[in-house]
Amino acid sequence: MAGPLVVPPPPPGGPQPMQKTLEIIGTFRPMKVRVLGRFRFYIHRINPLTHKLTTCLTPNPQLFKLSTPETSVTSLDFDDTGEFLVAACDDDSLQLYNAKEGKHVKSLLSKKYGAHLARFTHHSQSILYASTKYDETIRYLSTHDFQYLRYFKGHTAPVTSLALNPASDTFLSCSLDNTVRLWNLASPSPQARLKLSTPHLAAYDPSATVIAIASSSTASILLYDLRNYDKPPFSTFDLRHLSPPATPPTWTKLEFSNDGKSLLLATSAPSGHILLDAFKGDLKAYCAYPPAKTPFVASRAAPGSSLGPLGQGDVAFSADGRYLVGGSGAEHDAVVWDTQGTVVEEGDRKLLRPMASLPCRGRVSVSEWNPRFNMLATGDREVVFWLPDEHVA
């Protein structure tokens, strides 16, 4: 039998630089960090051969009280350097963490406007976020001195998606007002506007030349050439046979893999997430949940739905585009899918079962992978930073 994986120790004070995810996917455990209020961090040790995991609460966490114990994380995002993480919470706050040092940096309150879909720009001290009350303005905020740098006004209904261009200072916003707007951080006016039916989700491909827009009511994904965004889409993926229009909507996230080969459509439906070929739109697999021991629990409300708290999808690609990590469909645990794993055909469905289950005491409602380090962040009523454990046996 093969011995345990040997992983070089991380550099002092933080996570290790990126390795092949294949080499360390079975060794992730959350790091010990300082936490907010009821935000607790756990130590997990995963056996890389059996994928079994043990859990214990970190000793003596430092607590920072929140407005209520029911506060939930609604979005997570790492900056380009991988050093910082921002979490938007439904208590109208933004929480900033130093991921390398494993500590909470500051709380930024947005009590008047609310806060959701917080995204770093390409500068680690500035973020964009959507309002959840008062108006539908997108706010551009300096985290250094808590000054607003610009306001992006125009949407007349709640914003459902923010996507930053990986190669420039432009970004996309989707809204329940049935528009998608293209903005530049240097200007308060949109560069372009698309009027579509329920365009609730958007994503850039890794080359920053293609944008994908998901329309839940038409069960379709539209692909536009960013250089000709005023022209009709060059390709449309009709997904009515895979995920028929539902009331309320169930589509929660749209994400390209970093190799550009796959397109993830995350859902809040019991059938699981949909993994597509990014070029043809063909189904690669349904990322199915583990066999249910308890009734299915949707992670968060999809855009356009009023059922439950806000979210941004509970699953994310690993940096190499091979793995997906997300919620288990239950009140606890996370699961890992290997997109290169065996796909099982059951009737007319192609199912990809999880390769591992990662037990944890809370639900995984939001998931985000660090772009520079071997680190994963998940959240719900707590935020958890996961790191590989070189001492795992």
Side-chain angles (χ1 to χ4, degrees), residues 121-282:
T121 67
H122 294 302
H123 190 289
S124 297
Q125 291 188 331
S126 59
I127 59 174
L128 294 165
Y129 71 93
S131 307
T132 59
K133 55 186 181 181
Y134 185 76
D135 61 18
E136 318 307 335
T137 299
I138 300 165
R139 290 176 162 78
Y140 181 20
L141 175 69
S142 167
T143 62
H144 172 67
D145 54 8
F146 198 55
Q147 296 295 316
Y148 288 108
L149 305 176
R150 189 157 284 112
Y151 302 93
F152 301 98
K153 299 181 179 181
H155 285 300
T156 58
V159 173
T160 57
S161 180
L162 288 177
L164 190 72
N165 188 318
S168 74
D169 285 334
T170 59
F171 68 95
L172 293 168
S173 62
C174 301
S175 169
L176 294 181
D177 64 10
N178 292 325
T179 67
V180 178
R181 297 173 191 247
L182 177 66
W183 310 83
N184 189 300
L185 291 175
S187 172
S189 302
Q191 293 183 330
R193 187 183 77 134
L194 295 173
K195 183 74 172 178
L196 301 169
S197 175
T198 62
H200 293 166
L201 303 169
Y204 286 91
D205 84 320
S207 69
T209 59
V210 174
I211 56 175
I213 300 172
S215 167
S216 58
S217 67
T218 63
S220 62
I221 297 176
L222 312 176
L223 299 185
Y224 289 84
D225 184 336
L226 188 57
R227 296 160 296 188
N228 299 291
Y229 50 76
D230 55 337
K231 302 293 193 298
F234 67 82
S235 185
T236 300
F237 301 159
D238 186 345
L239 305 183
R240 285 175 293 179
H241 61 298
L242 300 177
S243 180
T247 304
T250 60
W251 294 4
T252 58
K253 184 178 185 179
L254 192 64
E255 182 182 1
F256 282 95
S257 60
N258 275 346
D259 59 10
K261 296 179 180 179
S262 299
L263 182 60
L264 170 69
L265 178 61
T267 81
S268 59
S271 56
H273 309 296
I274 299 172
L275 186 65
L276 302 171
D277 181 292
F279 299 101
K280 299 179 181 179
D282 296 337

Side-chain angles (χ1 to χ4, degrees), residues 23-363:
E23 298 175 359
I24 47 83
I25 188 66
T27 68
F28 272 86
R29 65 161 176 80
M31 63 189 292
K32 179 181 176 182
V33 298
R34 297 176 181 177
V35 297
L36 282 171
R38 293 179 63 88
F39 286 49
R40 298 188 177 122
F41 286 73
Y42 299 90
I43 294 289
H44 300 265
R45 289 182 171 82
I46 308 166
N47 186 305
L49 301 179
T50 65
H51 302 296
K52 291 183 178 179
L53 177 149
T54 58
T55 307
C56 64
L57 185 64
T58 56
N60 302 318
Q62 182 175 346
L63 302 181
F64 299 82
K65 291 185 178 181
L66 297 175
S67 56
T68 69
E70 291 79 25
T71 297
S72 295
V73 177
T74 65
S75 71
L76 295 171
D77 190 53
F78 285 101
D79 75 325
D80 286 351
T81 70
E83 185 172 352
F84 295 100
L85 176 85
V86 63
C89 302
D90 63 2
D91 65 346
D92 305 327
S93 73
L94 299 162
Q95 306 298 336
L96 186 64
Y97 299 88
N98 186 313
K100 288 185 70 175
E101 297 181 5
K103 68 179 183 181
H104 179 252
V105 177
K106 65 173 69 174
S107 299
L108 304 169
L109 300 182
S110 183
K111 294 295 184 181
K112 182 176 181 179
Y113 308 112
H116 184 40
L117 301 172
R119 301 285 182 263
F120 280 102
T121 67
H122 294 302
H123 190 289
S124 297
Q125 291 188 331
S126 59
I127 59 174
L128 294 165
Y129 71 93
S131 307
T132 59
K133 55 186 181 181
Y134 185 76
D135 61 18
E136 318 307 335
T137 299
I138 300 165
R139 290 176 162 78
Y140 181 20
L141 175 69
S142 167
T143 62
H144 172 67
D145 54 8
F146 198 55
Q147 296 295 316
Y148 288 108
L149 305 176
R150 189 157 284 112
Y151 302 93
F152 301 98
K153 299 181 179 181
H155 285 300
T156 58
V159 173
T160 57
S161 180
L162 288 177
L164 190 72
N165 188 318
S168 74
D169 285 334
T170 59
F171 68 95
L172 293 168
S173 62
C174 301
S175 169
L176 294 181
D177 64 10
N178 292 325
T179 67
V180 178
R181 297 173 191 247
L182 177 66
W183 310 83
N184 189 300
L185 291 175
S187 172
S189 302
Q191 293 183 330
R193 187 183 77 134
L194 295 173
K195 183 74 172 178
L196 301 169
S197 175
T198 62
H200 293 166
L201 303 169
Y204 286 91
D205 84 320
S207 69
T209 59
V210 174
I211 56 175
I213 300 172
S215 167
S216 58
S217 67
T218 63
S220 62
I221 297 176
L222 312 176
L223 299 185
Y224 289 84
D225 184 336
L226 188 57
R227 296 160 296 188
N228 299 291
Y229 50 76
D230 55 337
K231 302 293 193 298
F234 67 82
S235 185
T236 300
F237 301 159
D238 186 345
L239 305 183
R240 285 175 293 179
H241 61 298
L242 300 177
S243 180
T247 304
T250 60
W251 294 4
T252 58
K253 184 178 185 179
L254 192 64
E255 182 182 1
F256 282 95
S257 60
N258 275 346
D259 59 10
K261 296 179 180 179
S262 299
L263 182 60
L264 170 69
L265 178 61
T267 81
S268 59
S271 56
H273 309 296
I274 299 172
L275 186 65
L276 302 171
D277 181 292
F279 299 101
K280 299 179 181 179
D282 296 337
L283 176 69
K284 287 189 171 182
Y286 287 95
C287 298
Y289 292 108
K293 297 179 181 179
T294 58
F296 175 79
V297 178
S299 58
R300 291 293 171 81
S305 169
S306 59
L307 302 179
L310 297 172
Q312 66 171 27
D314 66 343
V315 63
F317 272 112
S318 61
D320 64 355
R322 174 168 177 174
Y323 299 95
L324 292 165
V325 181
S328 66
E331 290 285 2
H332 51 81
D333 297 353
V335 290
V336 180
W337 292 273
D338 181 355
T339 64
Q340 297 179 19
T342 302
V343 175
V344 178
E345 294 195 12
E346 294 186 6
D348 58 350
R349 302 184 70 206
K350 298 179 179 179
L351 300 183
L352 182 64
R353 298 290 184 185
M355 63 166 282
S357 179
L358 309 179
C360 57
R361 299 179 185 181
R363 188 192 306 180

